[in-house]
Amino acid sequence: MSQQSRHPDQPEPSYSLPPYIREEIADFPQPGLQLGNVGPLDFPQLVFGAATLSTIYNTEGLLQSDIPVRTVRLALRYGIRGFDTSPYYGDSEVVLGQCLQALTGEFPRSSYKIITKCGRYGADEFDYTPATIRKSVLRSLKRLGTDYLDVLLLHDVDFVGSPMAPFPLEGFHAKVFTGAAADWGLVPGKESKVWGTGDRRVVEAIGEMRKLKEEGLVRAIGISGYTLPTLLRLAILAANTAPFQPLDTLLSYSHYTLQNSAFVTYLPHFVNQAKLQQVFCASPLSMGLLTANPPPWHPAPGKLKEVAKNAYERVKEWPGELPNLAVGYTLKREGEIMGCDKGLTVPTVIGLSNLHEVHEALALWREVNNLTTDGVPRRYAEGLVKSVFQENGYLDWSWNCPPGFRKSNSLPLSPASRTA
């Protein structure tokens, strides 16, 4: 990803919609099964991953066209009335905000929900200080054209929280509960333990987020990240730190996919131990790993990328190829409870870049959730993909996050030590 700083102290980017926004046949939904809202936070089953509204995934030319606003409009018309963004995602908040404001006549603010994040502003740029958390949220509100956020997440806490486990962090995170729980601080009696400076920074940031919630600027708060045992430990820590209230939610990415479904093992622990109301899973394509051309910045090791390419070739004759299978796998399984003691369903955050991808996502969601559809061929093809990862030792395997993580956990976290 770009090294450009997105810290609240940096100048604001400018963005304006084109003067004319087309409306054609492709701008309207196809008839079929309707999306519903799920869980205590009342989010749609599919959430629009708005990192696509930036040069991380798309070109400047596309962003300057009417495609972003038409894509957002079509998603809203289909019932995808939830959006996930972040200051870290380049101009995403700015572009999304302009699109939503342009559509106010058809979709007022009360008709959709917004998730954004705070704390991460560059590849190695984290600022969890309370003053910056507040400044970041106020900027996000302005960018998004709203006076409240439905969900605020502390971004990528696994980069900041105190290191626990033996290094490296890569491996089979689902096995933590069968012998390595103590290595990750996931043992009885340690729920409130702050293991170092990183943990203190997370706790302080969450404290400011609680104040923003009390002031009505934010309606729910939580954390996001990749490393599942770290997410669980920090969510438990938050619930066992004054004022002893659990977080509302958590977002995990790339762990509910054909390559790695360890999220399913952690879901009951997120609900029963961390007392979260609802959990989100993101990135069915594992940030592009399960596509023909993973982005060059993807953090997976080269060997895993090679295995993913082999998996892609193994099912190339499937209509829509591996991306179709991968997204279908995640969408069919959203809502698995797997031992949770409450009727919790899991919204899926999926990146959408254009009208075709919106239509395709809804068609796929309808297909895999249609009880009359013969799912045997799809399950067989999914099994082929999983077998490729299993044969090479990468099924349910998680890469090191952060890459090259240091025991000192000395990432720049304060204004004095930031790097642009």
Side-chain angles (χ1 to χ4, degrees):
M1 292 188 187
S2 169
Q3 296 295 314
Q4 180 182 357
S5 173
R6 290 105 182 197
H7 192 273
D9 289 340
Q10 297 296 317
E12 276 291 84
S14 61
Y15 174 81
S16 59
L17 295 173
Y20 175 70
I21 301 171
R22 292 171 291 167
E23 189 166 57
E24 302 170 353
I25 292 176
D27 292 278
F28 293 92
Q30 295 296 310
L33 184 66
Q34 296 298 300
L35 286 170
N37 284 13
V38 294
L41 300 182
D42 197 35
F43 264 76
Q45 291 157 299
L46 295 185
V47 174
F48 190 124
T52 54
L53 302 180
S54 72
T55 54
I56 295 173
Y57 289 101
N58 284 299
T59 65
E60 190 67 38
L62 182 141
L63 296 179
Q64 295 298 329
S65 73
D66 66 355
I67 295 300
V69 67
R70 292 171 66 197
T71 303
V72 170
R73 181 176 62 190
L74 178 61
L76 287 165
R77 288 174 173 175
Y78 263 119
I80 303 178
R81 299 195 178 184
F83 299 87
D84 171 66
T85 183
S86 170
Y88 178 49
Y89 303 155
D91 294 346
S92 173
E93 285 187 325
V94 177
V95 176
L96 177 60
Q98 290 289 318
C99 292
L100 292 173
Q101 290 174 70
L103 300 171
T104 299
E106 186 175 354
F107 297 102
R109 176 64 180 92
S110 59
S111 66
Y112 57 82
K113 295 179 180 292
I114 298 175
I115 303 169
T116 195
K117 307 179 185 74
C118 59
R120 186 174 193 181
Y121 307 103
D124 287 331
E125 186 176 10
F126 293 79
D127 190 340
Y128 277 25
T129 58
T132 298
I133 295 297
R134 179 170 291 271
K135 186 182 294 186
S136 182
V137 169
L138 294 177
R139 182 183 66 173
S140 293
L141 291 170
K142 183 178 180 181
R143 286 176 163 187
L144 294 162
T146 181
D147 57 4
Y148 70 94
L149 300 170
D150 295 282
V151 175
L152 176 67
L153 301 175
L154 191 58
H155 203 167
D156 286 342
V157 293
D158 40 353
F159 281 71
V160 178
S162 300
M164 290 295 306
F167 289 79
L169 301 179
E170 63 193 29
F172 300 97
H173 288 173
K175 294 184 177 180
V176 166
F177 302 106
T178 59
D183 291 334
W184 293 88
L186 295 171
V187 289
K190 302 294 185 181
E191 293 87 352
S192 63
K193 183 173 177 58
V194 173
W195 293 87
T197 302
D199 283 3
R200 284 195 292 273
R201 290 168 172 164
V202 171
V203 169
E204 289 174 2
I206 290 173
E208 187 65 20
M209 293 166 68
R210 293 191 192 280
K211 292 178 182 177
L212 292 163
K213 181 179 177 182
E214 291 169 0
E215 294 166 20
L217 298 177
V218 175
R219 296 189 172 179
I221 63 171
I223 57 178
S224 74
Y226 176 77
T227 309
L228 291 169
T230 301
L231 288 174
L232 177 59
R233 184 180 67 79
L234 292 174
I236 292 172
L237 173 61
N240 288 275
T241 301
F244 305 102
Q245 296 172 354
L247 299 172
D248 300 300
T249 189
L250 173 154
L251 183 148
S252 166
Y253 64 91
S254 298
H255 272 119
Y256 211 5
T257 73
L258 268 178
Q259 182 265 323
N260 190 341
S261 59
F263 176 85
V264 174
T265 302
Y266 279 79
L267 183 54
H269 298 279
F270 287 144
V271 175
N272 297 327
Q273 290 180 260
K275 307 299 181 185
L276 301 174
Q277 293 185 48
Q278 190 163 11
V279 182
F280 294 80
C281 70
S283 197
L285 296 174
S286 197
M287 300 191 296
L289 177 67
L290 304 179
T291 67
N293 298 295
W297 48 259
H298 199 285
K303 176 61 176 176
L304 176 53
K305 292 177 181 177
E306 291 177 16
V307 174
K309 184 177 181 180
N310 293 338
Y312 188 96
E313 294 297 326
R314 185 75 175 269
V315 292
K316 203 165 185 180
E317 294 183 2
W318 179 267
E321 302 178 333
L322 178 56
N324 178 281
L325 286 170
V327 174
Y329 176 85
T330 300
L331 298 188
K332 177 63 177 177
R333 285 150 181 78
E334 52 95 21
E336 281 187 334
I337 295 175
M338 302 300 292
C340 294
D341 61 359
K342 49 175 82 170
L344 177 71
T345 50
V346 179
T348 300
V349 180
I350 180 172
L352 301 167
S353 293
N354 53 55
L355 300 173
H356 173 73
E357 290 184 1
V358 178
H359 285 299
E360 192 175 55
L362 263 294
L364 186 51
W365 178 82
R366 287 168 172 173
E367 176 194 336
V368 299
N369 287 282
N370 185 343
L371 297 180
T372 65
T373 300
D374 180 8
V376 173
R378 178 173 288 276
R379 287 194 296 273
Y380 175 76
E382 291 171 353
L384 291 178
V385 173
K386 286 194 169 191
S387 68
V388 173
F389 288 113
Q390 177 120 42
E391 290 161 6
N392 289 275
Y394 281 108
L395 184 65
D396 294 332
W397 186 92
S398 302
W399 57 77
N400 197 36
C401 184
F405 194 54
R406 295 164 293 185
K407 189 75 173 179
S408 62
N409 195 22
S410 56
L411 288 168
L413 295 167
S414 66
S417 60
R418 284 199 309 270
T419 57

